[in-house]
């Protein structure tokens, strides 16, 4: 689903902003691989029955820091009193003031996804973006309901072909 949030001041009040901090992560920082790997391991422990793509350090470094045609920014999300990041969010940089920012990914525990979204909204607002967008599966959209996104529609549908033992007569009765 294509989700959108407004970034205007006061659009998302009362979310204990003072308890959370974001810190930009330099793409060439020596500690970036270990932060990404810790975030990925925390995410893997919480996914349960969900199917997710691999977001280990090697993949994230390749996907988000080694693309000459794109400029992505990574931010560590942490609690005010905690030095250890809880996860990493990935954002695009708006090309001009008023353009929508894109929240591309969250690598970290699912229980912090809503807070990651709110942090991404603050970053987008500071960048001068009028809105923030993200592509999400229906399951992720449910995790983000508390942030009140506007659902703009479907981005893509995926069909996975699987073998079946139905004969043609049984299959025709399914219509």
């Amino acid at each position: 689903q294509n989700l959108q949030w407004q970034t205007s001041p006061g659009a998302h009040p009362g979310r204990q902003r003072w308890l959370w901090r974001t810190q930009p992560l330099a793409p060439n920082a020596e500690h970036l691989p270990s932060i990404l790997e810790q975030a990925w391991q925390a995410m893997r422990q919480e996914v349960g029955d969900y199917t997710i793509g691999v977001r280990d350090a090697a993949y994230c470094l390749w996907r988000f820091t080694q693309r000459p045609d794109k400029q992505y920014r990574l931010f560590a999300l942490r609690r005010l009193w905690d030095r250890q990041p809880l996860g990493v969010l990935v954002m695009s940089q708006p090309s001009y003031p008023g353009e929508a920012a894109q929240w591309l990914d969250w690598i970290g525990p699912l229980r912090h996804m809503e807070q990651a979204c709110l942090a991404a909204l603050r970053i987008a607002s500071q960048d001068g973006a009028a809105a923030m967008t993200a592509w999400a599966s229906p399951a992720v959209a449910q995790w983000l309901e508390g942030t009140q996104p506007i659902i703009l529609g479907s981005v893509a549908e995926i069909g996975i072909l699987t073998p079946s033992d139905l004969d043609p007569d049984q299959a025709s009765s399914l219509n």
Side-chain angles (χ1 to χ4, degrees):
Q1 296 180 343
N2 190 4
L3 307 178
Q4 183 181 52
W5 296 263
Q6 299 305 309
T7 59
S8 58
H12 305 276
R15 294 290 184 160
Q16 300 179 343
R17 281 179 259 159
W18 65 274
L19 293 175
W20 299 87
R21 294 290 179 261
T22 54
Q23 172 188 1
L25 297 169
N28 57 355
E30 189 175 309
H31 62 284
L32 181 58
S34 65
I35 290 172
L36 287 166
E37 198 59 41
Q38 287 172 7
W40 166 239
Q41 293 306 322
M43 185 177 207
R44 284 184 61 197
Q45 289 176 2
E46 279 197 16
V47 295
D49 294 334
Y50 295 106
T51 300
I52 62 170
V54 172
R55 289 173 173 85
D56 63 7
Y59 170 79
C60 289
L61 290 170
W62 170 80
R63 171 77 173 90
F64 299 121
T65 68
Q66 298 173 7
R67 298 228 11 217
D69 61 323
K70 303 284 184 191
Q71 295 298 312
Y72 299 127
R73 297 176 303 150
L74 287 75
F75 296 86
L77 178 67
R78 65 178 180 84
R79 289 188 177 103
L80 179 63
W81 60 86
D82 206 354
R83 294 184 62 129
Q84 186 64 36
L86 296 171
V88 176
L89 57 106
V90 183
M91 302 281 299
S92 69
Q93 173 77 41
S95 300
Y96 55 87
E99 181 186 34
Q102 288 184 308
W103 178 30
L104 297 161
D105 213 340
W106 164 246
I107 303 104
L110 300 179
R111 69 181 180 274
H112 297 306
M113 190 179 301
E114 185 175 310
Q115 191 58 50
C117 178
L118 295 171
L121 278 166
R122 286 191 298 278
I123 293 165
S125 179
Q126 291 166 359
D127 287 345
M132 181 181 80
T133 62
W135 290 0
S137 68
V140 170
Q142 274 191 302
W143 277 89
L144 296 171
E145 279 180 346
T147 63
Q148 302 173 337
I150 300 164
I151 299 175
L152 300 177
S154 290
V155 177
E157 296 290 331
I158 298 174
I160 300 173
L161 299 176
T162 58
S164 171
D165 62 355
L166 292 177
D167 62 48
D169 292 332
Q170 291 172 315
S172 65
S173 68
L174 296 176
N175 292 335

